[in-house]
């Protein structure tokens, strides 16, 4: 008897000890790479295949047997999209997924304040974490190449340095919540027209100096855990599986150890998907962008077709294991990380974060004094008692529409609501629509478009607004673009630089009826302003999200002093844009050659000596800033050293304000053509009235380098340079020559 008991005891002890030993992949104290290898070794072939492609619209399989959770992705860069049905685009109609809509990324970029990017990333990451999404499909960092790209509102503007500086803190903020930032769309997705296939031809200098730069920063400085391939092609390979951009540049040269996720429906070929660096396939249907049967996930290129090739011995498992390692790394960095965050959702804190970002991003473009009146902005409620608000954008919801960044927001304060809330009973606020956008055709049950048969009479709307303007003390026109197709929207590009719905005619008529007019533009793109000389005050207010109206009102009535700067150029006319002037947009429907090369945005305006309507980096304040003479801490720098420029900035006005001091570098003599100047540092400072601060800007040789496409490396050529320091790219307040030894 004793023997038997001893045996049973021994067995049970063995059993518990064997099983109580936590497997390495489940032991959060083990290094991630060990957990990855252990988990990989336990997975079957089918489990591996299941992990590298979608199982639903926005999720991919885990391994339930091993307790490895699914991966859940969510759009978008401005907020956490509502839950959609398993296999449909339309909403699941949950009642607990109304999010805080943060400002569009052009607004974030316009703050020129990396702390705002950190706040943005942290806040949106908390929302994603709470909603159990471990991959945020954002931010986008595609460069603003023309003012027509439908998705510019989702990106950081025309300059690679500004985009890089703003995207890094955003990524870190998101990922501090155990949520991966999936930076998109890698790469050269600079238009929506023919986005699914257009083959971009671009020289190596522009590729590296302009278009890759923000992605390189996202990977090497931001440490992003995921990258989304883009729909378009480069060197005739789709960028979701591209030997050059993914295998060579992203994974080999930059050392990216995260996951490459396809854009939805961006995969076109199993062989290329296997060998050209794609790690997870998501999409609408099986063969890319065309219709397919629903629930077709096993037919995806990286699903059964891949499994079959392996089972038939036509493919090994080396590539598969690399993909699965990357997905497991994503899992152990997020859902199975050592510290499991909880996030928070729809909170007052997030709403106030959005308001602060919007307030810091709104740009005061013009604020001329009127004879015998002075400046229109900020509106003085002690003087102005009859305030007229004109324009559909004063009331139109902007958190919906625009494509995949559309949101089901918990609430949205319109500009009119924000203005009324701030003014209260201090003045009378009246509203006229002034112009009207056609209601979007609805789809009937069978999906057919049912155009809304409404008669819009722009002349009548205009006459009504002009009549109302005559009797007002001050007129606030709120217009611009919107998220409708062919405006600021995914899937189509704009077809004109003008604002739609006869807004220009209306603004000119309002200016004639009442000179005390401020024009507030909501947009994610530049627009033409034929009336610019007749309108004393102009504001770019972007898409401000949930708290937009409160942010706009706080600026218009002076509670907050505007401090935003333009992240892209406002050209006078389309032909002032390089790509368009050279006929290099939108391409011939098959290929598109970026003929303007590195001369994008202000780089083109400087080269061609074109006067912009409003320059890159431009933005006014309700106070004024005086710059002293900039100095450098040395006359010449060595290749491994730095140089620091210091300039005193004084608030010479009567109210506190923030100024963005910008540093541009000009290479006086170079063996290859270079832009006249390039942004290489900036510093946003707050100054009380009368306060003066020494602002320092430090650079190293990276700021002097260009990409030598003969040597295929970054080169800083010794020689003479000039540092240009100013308040915008066209408002240079001082220059400091120096040398690179
Ligand atoms: C869309 C967009 C991408 C988005 C994805 C999922 O087509 O290009 O930005 O994240 O599909 O909606």
């Amino acid at each position: 008897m004793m023997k038997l008991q001893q045996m049973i005891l021994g067995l049970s002890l063995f059993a518990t000890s064997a099983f109580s030993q936590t497997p390495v992949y489940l032991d959060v104290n083990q290094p991630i790479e060990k957990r990855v290898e252990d988990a990989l070794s336990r997975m079957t072939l089918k489990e591996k295949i299941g992990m590298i492609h979608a199982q639903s619209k926005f999720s991919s399989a885990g391994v339930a047997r091993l307790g490895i959770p699914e991966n859940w992705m969510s759009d978008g860069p401005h907020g956490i999209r509502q839950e959609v049905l398993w296999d449909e685009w339309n909403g699941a109609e949950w009642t607990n997924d109304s999010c805080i809509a943060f400002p569009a990324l052009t607004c974030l970029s316009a703050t020129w304040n990396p702390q705002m990017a950190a706040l943005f990333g942290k806040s949106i990451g908390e929302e994603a974490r709470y909603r159990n999404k471990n991959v945020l499909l954002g931010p986008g960092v595609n460069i603003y190449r023309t003012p027509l790209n439908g998705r510019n509102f989702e990106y950081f503007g025309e300059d690679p340095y500004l985009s890089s500086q703003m995207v890094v803190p955003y990524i870190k903020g998101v990922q501090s919540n155990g949520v991966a930032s999936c930076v998109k769309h890698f790469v050269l997705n600079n238009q929506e027209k023919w986005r699914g296939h257009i083959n971009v031809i671009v020289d190596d200098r522009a590729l590296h100096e302009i278009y890759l730069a923000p992605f390189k920063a996202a990977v090497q400085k931001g440490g992003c855990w995921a990258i989304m391939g883009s729909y378009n092609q480069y060197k005739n390979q789709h960028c979701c599986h591209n030997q050059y951009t993914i295998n060579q540049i992203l994974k080999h040269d930059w050392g990216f150890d995260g996951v490459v996720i396809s854009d939805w429906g961006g995969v076109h070929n199993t062989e290329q998907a296997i060998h050209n660096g794609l790690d997870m396939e998501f999409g609408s249907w099986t063969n890319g962008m065309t219709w397919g049967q629903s629930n077709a996930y096993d037919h995806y290129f990286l699903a059964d077709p891949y499994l079959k090739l392996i089972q038939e011995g036509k493919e090994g498992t080396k590539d598969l294991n690399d993909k699965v390692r990357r997905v497991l790394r994503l899992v152990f960095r997020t859902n199975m990380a050592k510290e499991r965050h909880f996030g928070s959702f729809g909170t007052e804190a997030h709403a106030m974060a959005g308001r602060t970002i919007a307030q810091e991003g709104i740009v005061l473009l013009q604020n001329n004094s009127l004879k015998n009146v002075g400046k229109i902005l900020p509106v003085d409620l002690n003087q102005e008692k009859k305030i007229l608000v004109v324009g559909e954008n004063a009331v139109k919801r902007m958190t919906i529409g625009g494509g995949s960044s559309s949101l089901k927001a918990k609430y949205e304060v319109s500009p009119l609501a924000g203005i009324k809330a701030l003014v209260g009973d201090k003045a009378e606020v009246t509203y006229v629509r002034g112009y009207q956008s056609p209601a979007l055709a609805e789809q009937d049950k069978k999906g057919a478009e049912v155009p809304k048969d409404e008669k819009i009479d722009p002349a009548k709307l205009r006459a009504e607004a002009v009549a109302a303007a005559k009797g007002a003390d001050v007129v606030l026109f709120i217009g611009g673009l919107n998220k409708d197709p062919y405006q600021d929207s995914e899937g189509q590009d704009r077809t004109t630089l003008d604002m739609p719905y006869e807004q220009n005619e209306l603004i000119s008529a309002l200016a004639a009826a009442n000179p005390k007019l401020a024009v507030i533009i909501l947009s994610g793109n530049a627009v033409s302003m034929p009336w610019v000389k007749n309108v004393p005050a102009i504001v770019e207010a972007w898409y401000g999200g949930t708290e937009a109206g409160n942010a706009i009102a706080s600026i218009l009535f002076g509670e907050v002093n505007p401090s935003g700067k333009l992240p892209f150029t406002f050209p006078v006319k389309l032909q002032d844009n390089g790509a368009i002037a050279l006929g290099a947009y939108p391409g011939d429907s098959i290929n598109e050659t970026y003929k303007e090369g590195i001369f994008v945005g202000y780089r083109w305006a400087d080269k061609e000596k074109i006067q912009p309507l409003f320059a890159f980096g431009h933005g006014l304040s309700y106070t004024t800033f005086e710059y002293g003479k900039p100095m450098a801490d040395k006359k010449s720098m060595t290749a491994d050293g730095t140089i620091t420029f210091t300039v005193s900035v004084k608030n010479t006005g009567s109210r506190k304000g923030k100024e963005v001091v910008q540093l541009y570098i000009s290479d006086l003599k170079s063996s290859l053509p270079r832009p006249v100047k390039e942004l290489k540092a900036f510093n946003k400072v707050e100054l009380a009235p009368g306060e003066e601060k020494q602002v320092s800007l430090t650079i190293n040789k990276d700021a002097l380098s260009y990409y030598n496409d003969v040597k295929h490396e970054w080169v800083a050529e010794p020689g003479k340079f000039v540092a240009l320091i100013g308040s915008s790219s066209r408002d240079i307040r001082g220059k400091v020559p120096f040398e690179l030894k």
Side-chain angles (χ1 to χ4, degrees):
M1 198 47 185
M2 261 309 272
K3 203 100 183 94
L4 181 63
Q5 274 171 336
Q6 275 169 342
M7 211 162 71
I8 288 166
L9 180 64
L11 264 177
S12 67
L13 277 178
F14 164 74
T16 44
S17 69
F19 288 105
S20 72
Q21 175 66 31
T22 313
V24 166
Y25 77 98
L26 288 175
D27 180 350
V28 294
N29 295 312
Q30 291 285 343
I32 283 188
E33 291 317 307
K34 272 192 159 178
R35 299 178 68 188
V36 166
E37 292 311 318
D38 183 45
L40 184 72
S41 69
R42 297 166 188 264
M43 289 170 68
T44 66
L45 176 59
K46 282 196 171 160
E47 287 166 344
K48 292 180 182 178
I49 292 286
M51 195 171 256
I52 63 170
H53 64 82
Q55 65 171 4
S56 77
K57 266 278 169 285
F58 285 94
S59 75
S60 61
V63 186
R65 176 179 69 84
L66 296 175
I68 296 174
E70 299 164 335
N71 284 296
W72 279 88
M73 286 60 186
S74 173
D75 290 316
H78 309 148
I80 305 307
R81 188 176 190 164
Q82 65 170 324
E83 200 66 27
V84 295
L85 292 173
W86 182 262
D87 189 35
E88 305 293 335
W89 284 111
N90 31 24
E93 293 175 26
W94 284 13
T95 53
N96 63 349
D97 59 350
S98 296
C99 70
I100 294 300
F102 297 96
L105 293 188
T106 39
C107 180
L108 171 60
S109 197
T111 68
W112 287 60
N113 184 345
Q115 290 167 8
M116 290 295 109
L119 174 63
F120 196 123
K122 173 182 175 296
S123 306
I124 195 173
E126 286 170 345
E127 299 249 329
R129 184 71 276 174
Y130 182 85
R131 289 269 290 105
N132 251 327
K133 310 300 179 184
N134 66 314
V135 181
L136 174 70
L137 301 173
V141 289
N142 294 100
I143 291 292
Y144 185 113
R145 176 175 178 247
T146 77
L148 301 180
N149 177 18
R151 294 188 82 172
N152 277 331
F153 73 100
E154 291 185 59
Y155 307 145
F156 289 90
E158 74 187 28
D159 183 83
Y161 179 81
L162 176 63
S163 300
S164 302
Q165 292 300 106
M166 298 302 285
V167 76
V168 167
Y170 180 114
I171 293 164
K172 290 182 183 297
V174 171
Q175 299 189 162
S176 68
N177 290 286
V179 174
S181 174
C182 179
V183 180
K184 65 190 186 182
H185 307 84
F186 188 69
V187 64
L188 297 168
N189 180 190
N190 303 99
Q191 66 194 50
E192 289 302 286
K193 195 166 177 61
W194 302 318
R195 70 170 179 167
H197 64 271
I198 193 78
N199 179 52
V200 174
I201 298 161
V202 62
D203 63 72
D204 274 357
R205 288 197 64 201
L207 178 66
H208 286 270
E209 292 185 35
I210 305 293
Y211 298 103
L212 285 173
F215 289 100
K216 186 176 184 183
V219 169
Q220 296 195 330
K221 296 200 171 70
C224 65
W225 293 335
I227 286 272
M228 184 188 292
S230 58
Y231 284 129
N232 57 286
Q233 298 188 71
Y234 171 66
K235 291 189 187 292
N236 293 306
Q237 282 186 8
H238 281 275
C239 285
C240 288
H241 36 71
N242 188 299
Q243 166 62 24
Y244 310 98
T245 53
I246 298 179
N247 281 356
Q248 183 58 42
I249 294 172
L250 179 66
K251 292 186 174 179
H252 177 268
D253 298 352
W254 295 352
F256 178 63
D257 70 355
V259 186
V260 173
I261 298 173
S262 75
D263 201 338
W264 267 235
V267 183
H268 297 265
N269 175 306
T270 291
E271 306 304 51
Q272 287 194 24
I274 296 169
H275 298 294
N276 290 355
L278 180 67
D279 299 307
M280 293 179 97
E281 175 184 4
F282 277 83
S284 306
W285 292 286
T286 51
N287 55 349
M289 306 296 280
T290 53
W291 189 268
Q293 69 200 73
S294 62
N295 271 314
Y297 303 103
D298 288 337
H299 298 300
Y300 273 32
F301 293 101
L302 283 184
D304 286 352
Y306 187 16
L307 178 63
K308 197 158 162 288
L309 288 171
I310 292 173
Q311 289 168 332
E312 290 168 357
K314 291 176 184 158
E315 280 292 342
T317 55
K318 181 174 170 299
D319 292 299
L320 174 61
N321 287 339
D322 180 58
K323 298 178 201 300
V324 175
R325 279 194 182 90
R326 290 170 183 271
V327 180
L328 288 169
R329 199 168 292 139
L330 169 70
V331 172
F332 294 135
R333 284 169 165 167
T334 57
N335 287 337
M336 294 178 78
K338 185 175 166 77
E339 56 291 327
R340 186 70 163 88
H341 296 270
F342 305 108
S344 56
F345 188 71
T347 63
E348 170 81 1
H350 291 164
M352 289 307 110
R355 185 194 294 187
T356 304
I357 293 160
Q359 287 169 333
E360 281 240 0
I362 288 172
V363 181
L364 178 59
L365 293 172
Q366 185 164 282
N367 197 19
N368 299 333
S369 285
L370 272 184
K371 238 188 345 293
N372 320 324
V373 171
K375 297 191 178 205
I376 307 296
L377 295 180
V379 174
D380 179 354
L381 284 172
N382 299 322
Q383 304 291 327
E384 319 298 355
K385 292 302 175 190
K386 293 172 71 180
I387 297 168
L388 176 70
V389 178
V390 182
E392 182 181 86
N393 275 3
V395 298
K396 186 171 172 71
R397 282 174 61 201
M398 295 292 193
T399 55
I400 55 171
S404 58
S405 62
S406 176
L407 296 170
K408 179 167 88 173
K410 190 170 184 180
Y411 68 91
E412 178 180 355
V413 179
S414 70
L416 180 61
I419 289 166
K420 284 184 172 174
L422 187 145
V423 170
D425 57 5
K426 298 192 200 72
E428 178 201 12
V429 177
T430 50
Y431 171 70
V432 289
R433 197 177 191 108
Y435 71 89
Q436 185 171 342
S437 61
L440 293 182
E442 259 133 41
Q443 292 200 341
D444 63 17
K445 290 283 165 276
K446 293 182 287 305
E449 298 242 320
V450 180
K452 309 274 285 187
D453 58 352
E454 65 204 334
K455 289 279 158 287
I456 298 175
D457 181 347
K460 180 168 170 294
L461 288 167
R462 184 160 55 242
E464 180 194 25
V466 167
K470 287 193 171 94
D473 291 340
V474 66
V475 179
L476 304 175
F477 173 84
I478 303 183
L481 303 177
N482 59 37
K483 303 289 191 69
D484 292 353
Y486 300 96
Q487 299 300 319
D488 281 326
S489 175
E490 176 179 344
Q492 307 87 17
D493 285 344
R494 293 167 67 204
T495 55
T496 168
L497 187 61
D498 295 341
M499 292 188 282
Y501 324 127
E502 299 189 21
Q503 289 179 67
N504 285 338
E505 291 81 350
L506 171 56
I507 291 167
S508 298
L510 290 171
N514 188 331
K516 290 177 68 180
L517 168 66
V519 167
I520 294 94
I521 292 168
L522 307 189
S523 74
N525 253 312
V527 295
S528 64
M529 301 185 195
W531 32 264
V532 68
K533 295 200 179 344
N534 308 329
V535 174
I538 307 170
V539 174
E540 170 61 61
W542 312 113
Y543 299 117
T546 283
E547 281 282 328
N550 290 330
I552 289 167
S554 67
I555 296 278
L556 295 180
F557 294 92
E559 282 182 4
V560 170
N561 188 354
S563 62
K565 298 279 187 180
L566 288 180
F568 53 75
T569 305
F570 270 63
V572 172
K573 56 189 187 304
L574 267 185
Q575 286 308 316
D576 291 351
N577 171 275
I580 289 163
L582 297 174
Y585 165 85
D588 64 10
S589 88
I590 304 299
N591 294 303
E592 177 177 25
T593 303
Y594 285 11
K595 292 176 189 159
E596 75 284 4
I598 57 177
F599 298 100
V600 173
Y602 67 90
R603 290 168 166 84
W604 175 262
D606 286 347
K607 174 173 177 284
E608 298 298 313
K609 298 182 176 40
I610 295 170
Q611 181 60 32
L613 176 64
F614 294 108
F616 172 80
H618 169 75
L620 302 177
S621 171
Y622 292 148
T623 186
T624 47
F625 299 103
E626 195 175 85
Y627 284 55
K629 187 175 177 339
M631 316 292 285
D633 64 349
K634 52 184 73 102
K635 284 221 174 306
S636 64
M637 67 178 267
T638 55
D640 57 357
T642 62
I643 186 167
T644 297
F645 303 94
T646 305
V647 63
S648 72
V649 180
K650 182 176 182 180
N651 180 341
T652 47
S654 57
R655 56 175 297 164
K656 126 178 121 156
K658 294 179 181 178
E659 168 68 330
V660 180
V661 180
Q662 301 160 40
L663 168 67
Y664 296 83
I665 293 294
S666 182
D667 185 351
L668 294 184
K669 190 169 144 323
S670 59
S671 48
L672 291 176
R674 296 196 72 180
V676 169
K677 63 177 180 290
E678 298 178 281
L679 179 74
K680 294 297 178 184
F682 60 86
N683 194 338
K684 188 166 195 175
V685 291
E686 181 164 36
L687 296 165
E691 187 182 7
E692 181 171 1
K693 275 183 183 168
Q694 296 300 320
V695 179
S696 294
L697 301 142
T698 299
I699 57 167
N700 63 24
K701 77 168 169 38
D702 294 347
L704 312 180
S705 304
Y706 67 88
Y707 187 78
N708 185 311
D709 52 1
V710 175
K711 299 179 180 172
H712 292 290
E713 61 184 15
W714 287 87
V715 169
E717 280 178 337
K720 291 184 172 32
F721 290 84
V722 178
L724 302 107
I725 291 171
S727 184
S728 94
S729 62
R730 286 293 174 103
D731 181 2
I732 299 300
R733 306 289 182 90
K735 299 180 181 181
V736 185
F738 67 100
E739 260 197 85
L740 170 64
K741 288 291 183 204

